[in-house]
Amino acid sequence: TKGTRLENIEFYFSDINSYSPLAGYLNEYKNRPIIVRYPNSPLIYSFYDKNQIKYSIVGDILFLNYESDKMFWSDKIDLQKIKSIGTPKYQRKYLERAIKFKNKLGLKNYILVAYSSRFGLKSKDFLLEKQLVEIMDTLMETSEKKIIFKIHPRLNNKKFLKVLSKYDNKRWLVSNEHITALINKSDILLHESRSASLVEGLALNKRCIEYWDPIHKNNLNNYIENNNKISIKVKNKVELKNLLVETLSEDNEGLWKSQKNNYLKIIKKNGDPIKDFINEINKIKLIGSSSSA
């Protein structure tokens, strides 16, 4: 607010996924707010090559969703400043609120496709169109279930609708409902690579399938293959069809139990992120008070 003095501001909150020159500016002052940084999504960063992110993080404390992500960020900020507290939005009481939010669709047991429409972003649009056609052909052929699309709020070029318009409009629709509510009523979630919707789906006990990236623009490069096996990937329409057939006939329940169990190994399933957040904030306030005394 105009006219507010720095010494009257207690905290400055800023996510680590956006460029924040103000954090660096504030850091130059002795009497300044405590600078709190945090990720803007529940994405699991430890799955990716940390060398692909070059910038450092200015701040007094960095909150993370997962203990496994600490090493990813440890060369961007002092390790002692990193605190893993879990993901508040996946606490049961918050999930219960979210699944009721704007839940007016009136459908259930559909196939949900979390989709980013990247048409027109200097990409090879014909590859994106081919991918979407192959996904739709496979879904239409494999199942009679309704197909619901949830479009990324920022990556939402309307060209994808031209592709969908070629299919029976009684079989699909695009929803603006809250993604948590949509996932909750779905049977299967299809998501792209490096999508936080994967974690959202697993938090709601859904079977999650990662579909292929046709132009390799939607990742941090050098995806680190790991033993966690949280992301169940298909590389093409044939693999998607085979996996869907097995899943719908419940022939591969062991795969989904393994996916869920491996997810539970990463999260703080018995933690209390809000309580831990408050405790860490109080600690750093005490440190700040002692150093200024």
Side-chain angles (χ1 to χ4, degrees), residues 12-21 23-24 34-39 55-64 77 81 277:
Y12 171 69
F13 291 85
S14 175
D15 71 75
I16 54 177
N17 306 88
S18 304
Y19 177 56
S20 180
I34 295 170
I35 301 172
V36 181
R37 308 302 299 273
Y38 56 91
Y55 57 83
S56 60
I57 297 173
V58 175
D60 298 300
I61 189 168
L62 167 61
F63 288 108
L64 294 178
I77 189 172
K81 295 181 177 181
F277 170 81

Side-chain angles (χ1 to χ4, degrees), residues 69-82:
D69 280 355
K70 279 187 174 181
M71 294 311 298
F72 181 94
W73 296 106
S74 61
D75 61 346
K76 314 293 189 293
I77 189 172
D78 185 348
L79 184 60
Q80 298 301 313
K81 295 181 177 181
I82 302 177

Side-chain angles (χ1 to χ4, degrees), residues 101-204:
F101 179 76
K102 200 181 176 183
N103 189 10
K104 301 176 181 178
L105 192 60
L107 299 172
K108 61 182 180 179
N109 296 327
Y110 45 78
I111 295 176
L112 179 64
V113 183
Y115 184 76
S116 296
S117 182
R118 301 174 186 277
F119 292 98
L121 296 177
K122 297 182 180 179
S123 301
K124 296 180 179 178
D125 281 8
F126 74 94
L127 290 176
L128 296 173
E129 183 171 346
K130 179 175 182 290
Q131 177 210 40
L132 186 52
V133 167
E134 290 180 343
I135 290 173
M136 282 298 292
D137 284 349
T138 304
L139 294 179
M140 297 285 285
E141 176 186 350
T142 307
S143 171
E144 294 296 322
K145 290 180 178 290
K146 194 88 168 185
I147 304 163
I148 310 295
F149 278 83
K150 176 61 178 177
I151 308 302
H152 192 285
R154 293 186 300 276
L155 298 170
N156 54 10
N157 186 291
K158 300 298 183 184
K159 189 172 180 180
F160 79 95
L161 289 171
K162 291 184 178 180
V163 177
L164 296 185
S165 67
K166 300 175 184 178
Y167 297 89
D168 181 358
N169 61 13
K170 294 180 180 179
R171 291 291 315 280
W172 64 270
L173 64 84
V174 178
S175 176
N176 291 322
E177 289 198 24
H178 195 285
I179 189 164
T180 305
L182 287 173
I183 291 174
N184 183 57
K185 293 293 185 180
S186 70
D187 184 23
I188 299 171
L189 170 66
L190 267 61
H191 64 91
E192 60 183 354
S193 63
R194 194 174 174 259
S195 172
S197 61
L198 163 64
V199 188
E200 192 114 7
L202 293 174
L204 289 165

